[in-house]
Amino acid sequence: MKAIDAILLTAAALLAACRPSQQNDLPRGKASTELSAAVDAFYEATQTEPKGRDHITLHSIMVLKHGKVVEERWYNGQSADMPHMMWSVSKTFTATAIGFAIEEGLLTLDDTMISFFPDKLPQEVSENLAAITVRDLLTMTCGHDVAINFNTFQSDDWVRGFIEFPVLHKPGTYFVYNSVGTYMLSAIITRLTGQNMNDWLDERLWQPLGIEKPEWDQVQGISCGGWGLHLKTEDMARMGQCLLQNGKWNGRQVIPEDWVSQMTTYKVESGPAGTRLEDMPRLGITKDNNEWAKGYCYQMWICSDGGYRADGANGQYIMVFPEKDAVLVLTTDSNQYQPYMDIIWKHLIPAL
C-alpha cells in the first residue's frame, strides 16, 4: 500500500507541475517609497474628491514594473481570488481572438461581415451594409449613426438584428462606440470554429498565460464579446504584461507580435461613448482634456504618456505604458469617468 501511495503522490505531483499556475505566478518586487505613497494618496483621493452623489469605490489596484508586481491592494470586500466583471475590457480579449484567427488563416481584416452570415441577410443588402469589414467592427466604424441597443432589434436573433440595422455612413468613416459590433466579432469566431469564443481561447490564451478558464456570459450560444468577461486582478495583469512584452509570455510568442502592434496603435479619431464626434467642440471635449478623445485602436484606447488601455465601464482598466515598462490594473465601481482619470494621472502615473 505504501508503494501505491508513493506512486499516486508522485503522479499527482507530476500532474500539478504540468498544469499552468493559476494564481500569484507573476514575480513579486518591492515598490519604491514614492510609488507606495502615491497609491496611498490615490486611494485617499478616491474617497474625498467625488462630490454629492458621485462615487469612486475602489476594488483593487495592481502595479507592475519591469515585469514584477510591486504594488497590489484590495478594498471594499474584494480579494485576490475574486473574479471581477470586466465590462468592456472584454473587448480587448475579443480583438485578441481575431488576431489568432488571422494568424491561423481563418479570416482577414478586409473580409466583409456579411460574408460570414449569408443565411441571415435581408432581401435587399445596401451598399454600406455590404462594405462593413472585420476592420470596421474592430475600430467601431461600421457605419451606424448611433450605438446599437439590442432592445431595438426587429429580430430575436442578435446577428440578424445587427445586420438589419440601418447603416447610414460609409463604413470606416464614422466612429460610434458599439458594443454589439464586438458581439459580431465573437459571432464570426463561432461561425468559423463551431465553438464559443471563450472555449476557443482556452488553449490559445488562457492556458498559456496561466489563467484558469474564466466565466464569459453568452447570448444565443455566443460569448458576448463586448462585455460579460469575469477576471481576477492578476489575470488582467498577466494580459497587460503579455501585451507590454509584444505578445510574449515566459519566452513563448503567445499573441502574434504584429497583431499586438496593430491592436495597440492609433487607428481612428474617437470620443467618449455616447458622444458624437461633431458635438465634441461644442462640449469642450479635446484630446488634451479627455482620455477617450485621444484615439481608438482595435478594441483598445490610446491614453496619455505613450500608453494604451483596455477600458471597461465603471472603472475597469488594464493600462500599459511601454516607455515606463509598467502596467497598471484597476477594478472599481464608479460613476466617474474623466474625473477618475484625472485622479489616476495626478497621483499614480507620475510615480510609475
Side-chain angles (χ1 to χ4, degrees), residues 86-116:
M86 291 292 95
W87 298 105
S88 287
V89 167
S90 310
K91 292 179 170 67
T92 295
F93 294 86
T94 300
T96 302
I98 293 296
F100 288 135
I102 292 172
E103 180 76 4
E104 295 175 27
L106 298 178
L107 54 74
T108 74
L109 289 172
D110 294 320
D111 286 343
T112 62
M113 177 187 70
I114 64 171
S115 68
F116 300 103

PDB file of all heavy atoms in Angstrom, residues 86-116:
ATOM      1  N   MET A  86     -15.620  42.546 -16.051  1.00  0.00           N
ATOM      2  CA  MET A  86     -14.718  43.358 -16.860  1.00  0.00           C
ATOM      3  C   MET A  86     -15.429  44.414 -17.693  1.00  0.00           C
ATOM      4  O   MET A  86     -14.808  45.352 -18.188  1.00  0.00           O
ATOM      5  CB  MET A  86     -13.915  42.460 -17.805  1.00  0.00           C
ATOM      6  CG  MET A  86     -12.896  41.576 -17.130  1.00  0.00           C
ATOM      7  SD  MET A  86     -11.513  42.494 -16.393  1.00  0.00           S
ATOM      8  CE  MET A  86     -12.070  42.672 -14.686  1.00  0.00           C
ATOM      9  N   TRP A  87     -16.725  44.257 -17.891  1.00  0.00           N
ATOM     10  CA  TRP A  87     -17.432  45.131 -18.813  1.00  0.00           C
ATOM     11  C   TRP A  87     -16.660  45.185 -20.134  1.00  0.00           C
ATOM     12  O   TRP A  87     -16.308  44.188 -20.701  1.00  0.00           O
ATOM     13  CB  TRP A  87     -17.687  46.507 -18.184  1.00  0.00           C
ATOM     14  CG  TRP A  87     -18.562  46.422 -16.950  1.00  0.00           C
ATOM     15  CD1 TRP A  87     -18.142  46.541 -15.645  1.00  0.00           C
ATOM     16  CD2 TRP A  87     -19.971  46.158 -16.879  1.00  0.00           C
ATOM     17  NE1 TRP A  87     -19.202  46.368 -14.770  1.00  0.00           N
ATOM     18  CE2 TRP A  87     -20.331  46.137 -15.505  1.00  0.00           C
ATOM     19  CE3 TRP A  87     -20.958  45.933 -17.836  1.00  0.00           C
ATOM     20  CZ2 TRP A  87     -21.624  45.898 -15.079  1.00  0.00           C
ATOM     21  CZ3 TRP A  87     -22.263  45.701 -17.417  1.00  0.00           C
ATOM     22  CH2 TRP A  87     -22.573  45.692 -16.049  1.00  0.00           C
ATOM     23  N   SER A  88     -16.330  46.379 -20.626  1.00  0.00           N
ATOM     24  CA  SER A  88     -15.747  46.463 -21.969  1.00  0.00           C
ATOM     25  C   SER A  88     -14.264  46.144 -22.045  1.00  0.00           C
ATOM     26  O   SER A  88     -13.706  46.123 -23.152  1.00  0.00           O
ATOM     27  CB  SER A  88     -16.006  47.853 -22.566  1.00  0.00           C
ATOM     28  OG  SER A  88     -17.365  47.978 -22.926  1.00  0.00           O
ATOM     29  N   VAL A  89     -13.618  45.868 -20.934  1.00  0.00           N
ATOM     30  CA  VAL A  89     -12.280  45.275 -21.020  1.00  0.00           C
ATOM     31  C   VAL A  89     -12.366  43.969 -21.809  1.00  0.00           C
ATOM     32  O   VAL A  89     -11.401  43.553 -22.460  1.00  0.00           O
ATOM     33  CB  VAL A  89     -11.688  45.049 -19.613  1.00  0.00           C
ATOM     34  CG1 VAL A  89     -10.451  44.153 -19.653  1.00  0.00           C
ATOM     35  CG2 VAL A  89     -11.315  46.389 -18.967  1.00  0.00           C
ATOM     36  N   SER A  90     -13.537  43.343 -21.781  1.00  0.00           N
ATOM     37  CA  SER A  90     -13.765  42.121 -22.555  1.00  0.00           C
ATOM     38  C   SER A  90     -13.403  42.309 -24.021  1.00  0.00           C
ATOM     39  O   SER A  90     -12.944  41.368 -24.690  1.00  0.00           O
ATOM     40  CB  SER A  90     -15.237  41.709 -22.457  1.00  0.00           C
ATOM     41  OG  SER A  90     -15.695  41.671 -21.122  1.00  0.00           O
ATOM     42  N   LYS A  91     -13.609  43.506 -24.551  1.00  0.00           N
ATOM     43  CA  LYS A  91     -13.391  43.757 -25.974  1.00  0.00           C
ATOM     44  C   LYS A  91     -11.952  43.473 -26.397  1.00  0.00           C
ATOM     45  O   LYS A  91     -11.705  42.986 -27.502  1.00  0.00           O
ATOM     46  CB  LYS A  91     -13.757  45.207 -26.306  1.00  0.00           C
ATOM     47  CG  LYS A  91     -15.237  45.534 -26.194  1.00  0.00           C
ATOM     48  CD  LYS A  91     -15.497  46.999 -26.514  1.00  0.00           C
ATOM     49  CE  LYS A  91     -16.995  47.293 -26.655  1.00  0.00           C
ATOM     50  NZ  LYS A  91     -17.732  47.161 -25.397  1.00  0.00           N
ATOM     51  N   THR A  92     -10.997  43.796 -25.535  1.00  0.00           N
ATOM     52  CA  THR A  92      -9.597  43.577 -25.879  1.00  0.00           C
ATOM     53  C   THR A  92      -9.318  42.094 -26.092  1.00  0.00           C
ATOM     54  O   THR A  92      -8.530  41.710 -26.974  1.00  0.00           O
ATOM     55  CB  THR A  92      -8.693  44.149 -24.778  1.00  0.00           C
ATOM     56  OG1 THR A  92      -8.860  45.579 -24.746  1.00  0.00           O
ATOM     57  CG2 THR A  92      -7.229  43.821 -25.016  1.00  0.00           C
ATOM     58  N   PHE A  93      -9.969  41.240 -25.326  1.00  0.00           N
ATOM     59  CA  PHE A  93      -9.774  39.795 -25.475  1.00  0.00           C
ATOM     60  C   PHE A  93     -10.452  39.283 -26.747  1.00  0.00           C
ATOM     61  O   PHE A  93      -9.965  38.342 -27.380  1.00  0.00           O
ATOM     62  CB  PHE A  93     -10.285  39.076 -24.227  1.00  0.00           C
ATOM     63  CG  PHE A  93      -9.470  39.408 -23.006  1.00  0.00           C
ATOM     64  CD1 PHE A  93      -9.758  40.525 -22.231  1.00  0.00           C
ATOM     65  CD2 PHE A  93      -8.385  38.626 -22.647  1.00  0.00           C
ATOM     66  CE1 PHE A  93      -8.988  40.843 -21.121  1.00  0.00           C
ATOM     67  CE2 PHE A  93      -7.608  38.933 -21.543  1.00  0.00           C
ATOM     68  CZ  PHE A  93      -7.910  40.046 -20.782  1.00  0.00           C
ATOM     69  N   THR A  94     -11.550  39.922 -27.139  1.00  0.00           N
ATOM     70  CA  THR A  94     -12.188  39.578 -28.412  1.00  0.00           C
ATOM     71  C   THR A  94     -11.276  39.963 -29.575  1.00  0.00           C
ATOM     72  O   THR A  94     -11.113  39.190 -30.528  1.00  0.00           O
ATOM     73  CB  THR A  94     -13.545  40.283 -28.534  1.00  0.00           C
ATOM     74  OG1 THR A  94     -14.385  39.872 -27.453  1.00  0.00           O
ATOM     75  CG2 THR A  94     -14.222  39.949 -29.855  1.00  0.00           C
ATOM     76  N   ALA A  95     -10.678  41.147 -29.499  1.00  0.00           N
ATOM     77  CA  ALA A  95      -9.733  41.555 -30.542  1.00  0.00           C
ATOM     78  C   ALA A  95      -8.554  40.597 -30.617  1.00  0.00           C
ATOM     79  O   ALA A  95      -8.050  40.298 -31.707  1.00  0.00           O
ATOM     80  CB  ALA A  95      -9.242  42.977 -30.277  1.00  0.00           C
ATOM     81  N   THR A  96      -8.111  40.101 -29.464  1.00  0.00           N
ATOM     82  CA  THR A  96      -7.024  39.127 -29.449  1.00  0.00           C
ATOM     83  C   THR A  96      -7.434  37.859 -30.179  1.00  0.00           C
ATOM     84  O   THR A  96      -6.647  37.272 -30.940  1.00  0.00           O
ATOM     85  CB  THR A  96      -6.618  38.810 -28.000  1.00  0.00           C
ATOM     86  OG1 THR A  96      -6.225  40.034 -27.345  1.00  0.00           O
ATOM     87  CG2 THR A  96      -5.463  37.828 -27.943  1.00  0.00           C
ATOM     88  N   ALA A  97      -8.674  37.421 -29.967  1.00  0.00           N
ATOM     89  CA  ALA A  97      -9.172  36.234 -30.673  1.00  0.00           C
ATOM     90  C   ALA A  97      -9.164  36.449 -32.179  1.00  0.00           C
ATOM     91  O   ALA A  97      -8.825  35.540 -32.950  1.00  0.00           O
ATOM     92  CB  ALA A  97     -10.583  35.894 -30.188  1.00  0.00           C
ATOM     93  N   ILE A  98      -9.519  37.638 -32.625  1.00  0.00           N
ATOM     94  CA  ILE A  98      -9.483  37.941 -34.059  1.00  0.00           C
ATOM     95  C   ILE A  98      -8.045  37.837 -34.570  1.00  0.00           C
ATOM     96  O   ILE A  98      -7.790  37.322 -35.673  1.00  0.00           O
ATOM     97  CB  ILE A  98     -10.062  39.338 -34.338  1.00  0.00           C
ATOM     98  CG1 ILE A  98     -11.576  39.368 -34.022  1.00  0.00           C
ATOM     99  CG2 ILE A  98      -9.807  39.755 -35.783  1.00  0.00           C
ATOM    100  CD1 ILE A  98     -12.419  38.472 -34.895  1.00  0.00           C
ATOM    101  N   GLY A  99      -7.089  38.302 -33.763  1.00  0.00           N
ATOM    102  CA  GLY A  99      -5.693  38.182 -34.157  1.00  0.00           C
ATOM    103  C   GLY A  99      -5.256  36.746 -34.339  1.00  0.00           C
ATOM    104  O   GLY A  99      -4.528  36.409 -35.292  1.00  0.00           O
ATOM    105  N   PHE A 100      -5.693  35.875 -33.435  1.00  0.00           N
ATOM    106  CA  PHE A 100      -5.382  34.445 -33.589  1.00  0.00           C
ATOM    107  C   PHE A 100      -6.008  33.896 -34.870  1.00  0.00           C
ATOM    108  O   PHE A 100      -5.380  33.108 -35.592  1.00  0.00           O
ATOM    109  CB  PHE A 100      -5.912  33.659 -32.391  1.00  0.00           C
ATOM    110  CG  PHE A 100      -5.145  33.870 -31.111  1.00  0.00           C
ATOM    111  CD1 PHE A 100      -5.823  34.085 -29.912  1.00  0.00           C
ATOM    112  CD2 PHE A 100      -3.767  33.846 -31.087  1.00  0.00           C
ATOM    113  CE1 PHE A 100      -5.131  34.271 -28.730  1.00  0.00           C
ATOM    114  CE2 PHE A 100      -3.062  34.028 -29.900  1.00  0.00           C
ATOM    115  CZ  PHE A 100      -3.747  34.248 -28.718  1.00  0.00           C
ATOM    116  N   ALA A 101      -7.252  34.290 -35.136  1.00  0.00           N
ATOM    117  CA  ALA A 101      -7.939  33.785 -36.326  1.00  0.00           C
ATOM    118  C   ALA A 101      -7.232  34.230 -37.601  1.00  0.00           C
ATOM    119  O   ALA A 101      -7.136  33.461 -38.571  1.00  0.00           O
ATOM    120  CB  ALA A 101      -9.393  34.260 -36.329  1.00  0.00           C
ATOM    121  N   ILE A 102      -6.737  35.460 -37.610  1.00  0.00           N
ATOM    122  CA  ILE A 102      -5.974  35.936 -38.768  1.00  0.00           C
ATOM    123  C   ILE A 102      -4.686  35.132 -38.915  1.00  0.00           C
ATOM    124  O   ILE A 102      -4.328  34.688 -40.015  1.00  0.00           O
ATOM    125  CB  ILE A 102      -5.674  37.445 -38.621  1.00  0.00           C
ATOM    126  CG1 ILE A 102      -6.970  38.255 -38.740  1.00  0.00           C
ATOM    127  CG2 ILE A 102      -4.653  37.897 -39.672  1.00  0.00           C
ATOM    128  CD1 ILE A 102      -6.802  39.725 -38.421  1.00  0.00           C
ATOM    129  N   GLU A 103      -3.988  34.928 -37.804  1.00  0.00           N
ATOM    130  CA  GLU A 103      -2.729  34.172 -37.812  1.00  0.00           C
ATOM    131  C   GLU A 103      -2.949  32.748 -38.337  1.00  0.00           C
ATOM    132  O   GLU A 103      -2.085  32.193 -39.033  1.00  0.00           O
ATOM    133  CB  GLU A 103      -2.147  34.125 -36.403  1.00  0.00           C
ATOM    134  CG  GLU A 103      -0.839  33.363 -36.267  1.00  0.00           C
ATOM    135  CD  GLU A 103       0.358  34.122 -36.795  1.00  0.00           C
ATOM    136  OE1 GLU A 103       0.193  35.296 -37.216  1.00  0.00           O
ATOM    137  OE2 GLU A 103       1.455  33.552 -36.806  1.00  0.00           O
ATOM    138  N   GLU A 104      -4.102  32.176 -38.036  1.00  0.00           N
ATOM    139  CA  GLU A 104      -4.390  30.799 -38.450  1.00  0.00           C
ATOM    140  C   GLU A 104      -5.045  30.717 -39.823  1.00  0.00           C
ATOM    141  O   GLU A 104      -5.451  29.632 -40.265  1.00  0.00           O
ATOM    142  CB  GLU A 104      -5.269  30.131 -37.386  1.00  0.00           C
ATOM    143  CG  GLU A 104      -4.545  29.974 -36.053  1.00  0.00           C
ATOM    144  CD  GLU A 104      -5.416  29.420 -34.938  1.00  0.00           C
ATOM    145  OE1 GLU A 104      -6.382  28.684 -35.256  1.00  0.00           O
ATOM    146  OE2 GLU A 104      -5.139  29.708 -33.763  1.00  0.00           O
ATOM    147  N   GLY A 105      -5.166  31.860 -40.492  1.00  0.00           N
ATOM    148  CA  GLY A 105      -5.689  31.865 -41.851  1.00  0.00           C
ATOM    149  C   GLY A 105      -7.184  31.708 -41.968  1.00  0.00           C
ATOM    150  O   GLY A 105      -7.701  31.386 -43.058  1.00  0.00           O
ATOM    151  N   LEU A 106      -7.912  31.966 -40.887  1.00  0.00           N
ATOM    152  CA  LEU A 106      -9.364  31.796 -40.913  1.00  0.00           C
ATOM    153  C   LEU A 106     -10.087  33.001 -41.504  1.00  0.00           C
ATOM    154  O   LEU A 106     -11.203  32.876 -42.006  1.00  0.00           O
ATOM    155  CB  LEU A 106      -9.883  31.526 -39.496  1.00  0.00           C
ATOM    156  CG  LEU A 106      -9.368  30.260 -38.806  1.00  0.00           C
ATOM    157  CD1 LEU A 106      -9.932  30.158 -37.396  1.00  0.00           C
ATOM    158  CD2 LEU A 106      -9.729  29.029 -39.619  1.00  0.00           C
ATOM    159  N   LEU A 107      -9.478  34.175 -41.414  1.00  0.00           N
ATOM    160  CA  LEU A 107     -10.094  35.388 -41.940  1.00  0.00           C
ATOM    161  C   LEU A 107      -9.021  36.442 -42.169  1.00  0.00           C
ATOM    162  O   LEU A 107      -7.861  36.248 -41.810  1.00  0.00           O
ATOM    163  CB  LEU A 107     -11.195  35.911 -41.000  1.00  0.00           C
ATOM    164  CG  LEU A 107     -10.889  36.177 -39.521  1.00  0.00           C
ATOM    165  CD1 LEU A 107     -10.053  37.430 -39.304  1.00  0.00           C
ATOM    166  CD2 LEU A 107     -12.182  36.338 -38.733  1.00  0.00           C
ATOM    167  N   THR A 108      -9.444  37.578 -42.749  1.00  0.00           N
ATOM    168  CA  THR A 108      -8.573  38.741 -42.906  1.00  0.00           C
ATOM    169  C   THR A 108      -9.324  39.977 -42.441  1.00  0.00           C
ATOM    170  O   THR A 108     -10.565  39.968 -42.303  1.00  0.00           O
ATOM    171  CB  THR A 108      -8.135  38.949 -44.362  1.00  0.00           C
ATOM    172  OG1 THR A 108      -9.247  39.467 -45.117  1.00  0.00           O
ATOM    173  CG2 THR A 108      -7.644  37.656 -44.992  1.00  0.00           C
ATOM    174  N   LEU A 109      -8.589  41.054 -42.237  1.00  0.00           N
ATOM    175  CA  LEU A 109      -9.217  42.310 -41.824  1.00  0.00           C
ATOM    176  C   LEU A 109     -10.168  42.840 -42.888  1.00  0.00           C
ATOM    177  O   LEU A 109     -11.117  43.560 -42.578  1.00  0.00           O
ATOM    178  CB  LEU A 109      -8.147  43.361 -41.521  1.00  0.00           C
ATOM    179  CG  LEU A 109      -7.326  43.153 -40.253  1.00  0.00           C
ATOM    180  CD1 LEU A 109      -6.190  44.166 -40.193  1.00  0.00           C
ATOM    181  CD2 LEU A 109      -8.207  43.278 -39.011  1.00  0.00           C
ATOM    182  N   ASP A 110      -9.922  42.501 -44.137  1.00  0.00           N
ATOM    183  CA  ASP A 110     -10.735  43.031 -45.226  1.00  0.00           C
ATOM    184  C   ASP A 110     -11.944  42.158 -45.571  1.00  0.00           C
ATOM    185  O   ASP A 110     -12.741  42.522 -46.438  1.00  0.00           O
ATOM    186  CB  ASP A 110      -9.863  43.208 -46.480  1.00  0.00           C
ATOM    187  CG  ASP A 110      -8.802  44.277 -46.278  1.00  0.00           C
ATOM    188  OD1 ASP A 110      -9.107  45.303 -45.657  1.00  0.00           O
ATOM    189  OD2 ASP A 110      -7.659  44.071 -46.732  1.00  0.00           O
ATOM    190  N   ASP A 111     -12.090  41.026 -44.906  1.00  0.00           N
ATOM    191  CA  ASP A 111     -13.282  40.208 -45.129  1.00  0.00           C
ATOM    192  C   ASP A 111     -14.520  40.988 -44.719  1.00  0.00           C
ATOM    193  O   ASP A 111     -14.531  41.665 -43.675  1.00  0.00           O
ATOM    194  CB  ASP A 111     -13.209  38.914 -44.324  1.00  0.00           C
ATOM    195  CG  ASP A 111     -12.223  37.921 -44.902  1.00  0.00           C
ATOM    196  OD1 ASP A 111     -11.826  38.076 -46.071  1.00  0.00           O
ATOM    197  OD2 ASP A 111     -11.837  36.981 -44.172  1.00  0.00           O
ATOM    198  N   THR A 112     -15.562  40.884 -45.505  1.00  0.00           N
ATOM    199  CA  THR A 112     -16.793  41.593 -45.166  1.00  0.00           C
ATOM    200  C   THR A 112     -17.578  40.811 -44.111  1.00  0.00           C
ATOM    201  O   THR A 112     -17.549  39.577 -44.082  1.00  0.00           O
ATOM    202  CB  THR A 112     -17.678  41.797 -46.401  1.00  0.00           C
ATOM    203  OG1 THR A 112     -18.054  40.527 -46.932  1.00  0.00           O
ATOM    204  CG2 THR A 112     -16.951  42.623 -47.440  1.00  0.00           C
ATOM    205  N   MET A 113     -18.273  41.562 -43.281  1.00  0.00           N
ATOM    206  CA  MET A 113     -19.060  40.943 -42.213  1.00  0.00           C
ATOM    207  C   MET A 113     -20.109  40.003 -42.778  1.00  0.00           C
ATOM    208  O   MET A 113     -20.299  38.883 -42.284  1.00  0.00           O
ATOM    209  CB  MET A 113     -19.721  42.032 -41.364  1.00  0.00           C
ATOM    210  CG  MET A 113     -20.618  41.508 -40.262  1.00  0.00           C
ATOM    211  SD  MET A 113     -21.526  42.833 -39.437  1.00  0.00           S
ATOM    212  CE  MET A 113     -22.685  43.331 -40.716  1.00  0.00           C
ATOM    213  N   ILE A 114     -20.805  40.436 -43.840  1.00  0.00           N
ATOM    214  CA  ILE A 114     -21.921  39.624 -44.325  1.00  0.00           C
ATOM    215  C   ILE A 114     -21.447  38.326 -44.969  1.00  0.00           C
ATOM    216  O   ILE A 114     -22.231  37.384 -45.104  1.00  0.00           O
ATOM    217  CB  ILE A 114     -22.821  40.407 -45.303  1.00  0.00           C
ATOM    218  CG1 ILE A 114     -22.055  40.790 -46.576  1.00  0.00           C
ATOM    219  CG2 ILE A 114     -23.425  41.633 -44.623  1.00  0.00           C
ATOM    220  CD1 ILE A 114     -22.949  41.363 -47.664  1.00  0.00           C
ATOM    221  N   SER A 115     -20.165  38.254 -45.336  1.00  0.00           N
ATOM    222  CA  SER A 115     -19.676  37.027 -45.966  1.00  0.00           C
ATOM    223  C   SER A 115     -19.724  35.838 -45.010  1.00  0.00           C
ATOM    224  O   SER A 115     -19.752  34.687 -45.450  1.00  0.00           O
ATOM    225  CB  SER A 115     -18.252  37.226 -46.477  1.00  0.00           C
ATOM    226  OG  SER A 115     -17.318  37.383 -45.408  1.00  0.00           O
ATOM    227  N   PHE A 116     -19.745  36.118 -43.720  1.00  0.00           N
ATOM    228  CA  PHE A 116     -19.782  35.045 -42.725  1.00  0.00           C
ATOM    229  C   PHE A 116     -21.211  34.589 -42.422  1.00  0.00           C
ATOM    230  O   PHE A 116     -21.407  33.542 -41.805  1.00  0.00           O
ATOM    231  CB  PHE A 116     -19.114  35.503 -41.431  1.00  0.00           C
ATOM    232  CG  PHE A 116     -17.681  35.902 -41.611  1.00  0.00           C
ATOM    233  CD1 PHE A 116     -17.318  37.240 -41.649  1.00  0.00           C
ATOM    234  CD2 PHE A 116     -16.687  34.943 -41.768  1.00  0.00           C
ATOM    235  CE1 PHE A 116     -15.994  37.612 -41.813  1.00  0.00           C
ATOM    236  CE2 PHE A 116     -15.360  35.309 -41.930  1.00  0.00           C
ATOM    237  CZ  PHE A 116     -15.008  36.646 -41.966  1.00  0.00           C
TER     238      PHE A 116
END
